[in-house]
Amino acid sequence: MANKELQEKVAQYNKLLRQYGHAYYVLDKPVVTDTEYDQMLNELIQIEEQHPELIYPDSPTQRVGGEVLKGFTKVTHQYPMLSLGNAFNEEDLRSFDERVRGSVGNKFSYVCELKIDGLAISLIYENGLFVRGATRGNGTIGEDITENLRTVHAIPLRLTEEVSIEARGECYMPKRSFTNLNKARAAEEEELFANPRNAAAGSLRQLDPKIAASRNLSTFMYAIGGSGESYHLSSHSEALDYLDRLGFQTNHERRSCPSIEEVLTYITEWTEKRELLPYEIDGIVVKVDRYDQQDELGFTAKAPRWAIAYKFAAEEVETVVLDIDLTVGRTGVVTPTAILKPVQVAGSTVQRATLHNEDIIREKDIRIGDAVIIRKAGDIIPEVVSVLFDQRTTDIVAFEMPKNCPVCDSELVRIEGEVAIRCINPKCFAQISEGVAHFVSRNAMNIDGLGERVVEQLLREELIADVADLYALQKETLLELERMGEKSVTNLLAAIEASKSNSLEKLLFGLGIRHVGAKAAKLLAENFETMDAVMTATEEQLIAIDEIGQKMADSIITYFENDEVHDLIARLKGYGVNLTYTGKKVNSADIDSAFSGKVIVLTGKLEQLTRQEAQAKIEELGGKVTGSVSKKTDLVIAGTEAGSKLAKAEQLGIEVWDENRLVNELK
């Protein structure tokens, strides 16, 4: 059993990785380096493997990749687009090689490929014709970007054979295209793209295909979806040659390497030559070549055992800390950021670096005016690695976090057991602004047209003081604001009106109660059904709900003990905002089925149903689907490639079904 310190560490890692993943994959505005993200994720994976009871359903390790963007049709991949395990040094690669040899012996070969720094895509062809293109999305569900991909000349619209196939690869922006694009944006005084990968992702997410066409994107295809054996191929290298013959562009810098020594030689060569390429790469992909040996090696729950991605070491450069900027978030946390003397790192100009919190500043003794080393794994906001103390002058003094909030001047506090310093003034402009932005976000009340700029404008003009005031906004008043025209105001008011009918869980999530995410909000809504019942719930009632623990229960109770919260809820009710759960509520006691009243976990890859379809059908029949295996679990449904959850179920003696048994019971 994991101790409390480890539990808190896992919870913190989950929170940070979700934030980083959202910024990286959804917003295309990364906030940490690849190296930092990967190392934190790998550490979390190791902890979860040793302590399966700490695998939370919303853990970043339980998903591949990130969230689906709004604005494009969702596409469910026939075969999940899995991520690869990472290697950061020679030792990691040799350990991978030892694992491979331990499974398949010594008669095998690797294929090494350049890891293109772009956006993963899936291309579907029927009888040789291109019919659909999609992003990777979260690995299971992506976005349909067919029309944008049609504008990429490297993608054939008709193959050389009338074959039905899925090709997978990377869409990227060549360095020259990136330079030209940023020159044009600078001339128009538009925000510059940070790097070619973000530019490629932004181009493919344009709703106007003409914009994508103007960006001069390209592709390298690197795999066939599903089994290449369906096309009478016996190896990965044969599949790449076949893709070539079909008319796809593959990367011909690949190399067959019969030994790990040759793999290391290939990596050394391209580490030195990468800057000479006309496109960005961020590592090397190493795959066991033969399909039968890939099948023998199999998969973990998250990645194939027959492949690994070697990540180039983060580039480190010297610069100077010009200032330390402080920002206040929705929960009052004050976050420090180093303002740097502009410096080129990995092809882009860097002016900011994350400092995380006061403890990091003290530990590294970072001061304004210091010469520092920063690192960046290719293209995102870096971190300060170390201070060059031999360059520090006597007039550079230690940095002290302020005693008062930089926005509202209220006293800052540090809660025992936390590293964060907080502003606890509920009227702080920064907190209110962030809180309103959260309230109107897609997973909360979903009010289109209320971006950050509009929210701040409404607050500064004193048209709103909290989220309830949004429902009192008038058309005439809004039309007087700068950049608010007739159409935008009409659409905004319609979105606000529509949000009144949202089910209770949307409102609960939007209120921003500490530790209550979207899933917890839905659990509260389903179990209590009304806002009044949630507000008066006791600690015992809250903890009785599976997946709601002591910390969350305490937070919910503390939140609703506040008189200002009661006033806010009353005002929302007065404006006609729905305060009840309108989703489907299943009473398992009224249903006679094999799933009624049981706690069920789905794991592995399902072939006949999607994970979402299976969950919906089980819940319709009175079952409850959760994300982690525990002593409370009654049944585990194990698809192919099931991993640690299946192992834990077997360890605990929990009943396990395969997918065929599930499908038969659902009939």
Side-chain angles (χ1 to χ4, degrees), residues 220-258:
F220 285 122
M221 308 313 292
Y222 54 64
I224 294 174
S227 173
E229 295 171 323
S230 304
Y231 303 93
H232 308 292
L233 304 169
S234 62
S235 67
H236 176 61
S237 55
E238 286 184 10
L240 293 173
D241 292 340
Y242 183 50
L243 290 172
D244 273 334
R245 295 198 300 272
L246 290 176
F248 294 104
Q249 179 168 270
T250 68
N251 193 295
H252 289 183
E253 303 295 348
R254 59 183 179 265
R255 183 184 300 173
S256 176
C257 296

Side-chain angles (χ1 to χ4, degrees), residues 359-375:
D359 287 356
I360 295 295
I361 295 175
R362 287 180 176 173
E363 179 184 326
K364 296 183 177 181
D365 192 16
I366 300 167
R367 305 182 183 187
I368 296 172
D370 271 336
V372 295
I373 296 294
I374 63 169
R375 68 181 171 196

Side-chain angles (χ1 to χ4, degrees), residues 16 126 203 249 258 276 285 322 341 346 375 408 463 480 499:
L16 288 173
E126 294 181 0
S203 301
Q249 179 168 270
L276 302 177
V285 176
L322 301 178
K341 179 180 179 181
R375 68 181 171 196
C408 71
L463 295 180
E480 294 176 2
S499 74

Side-chain angles (χ1 to χ4, degrees), residues 471-488:
Y471 296 95
L473 291 171
Q474 299 295 317
K475 183 174 183 178
E476 296 76 15
T477 309
L478 290 173
L479 285 172
E480 294 176 2
L481 298 176
E482 184 181 355
R483 298 181 184 176
M484 294 293 281
E486 177 83 25
K487 184 176 181 180
S488 60

Side-chain angles (χ1 to χ4, degrees), residues 16 18-34 37 69 185 190-195 197-199 201-202 205 352 376 379-382 452:
L16 288 173
R18 284 195 299 272
Q19 292 173 349
Y20 298 162
H22 181 79
Y24 182 93
Y25 292 106
V26 179
L27 304 180
D28 287 330
K29 295 194 177 203
V31 295
V32 295
T33 66
D34 283 350
Y37 182 95
L69 285 175
R185 293 178 72 86
E190 295 178 334
E191 182 180 358
L192 302 185
F193 283 108
N195 53 79
R197 181 179 59 195
N198 280 11
R205 290 186 173 103
R352 300 171 68 86
K376 184 183 181 193
D379 60 358
I380 50 181
I381 296 176
E452 182 179 328

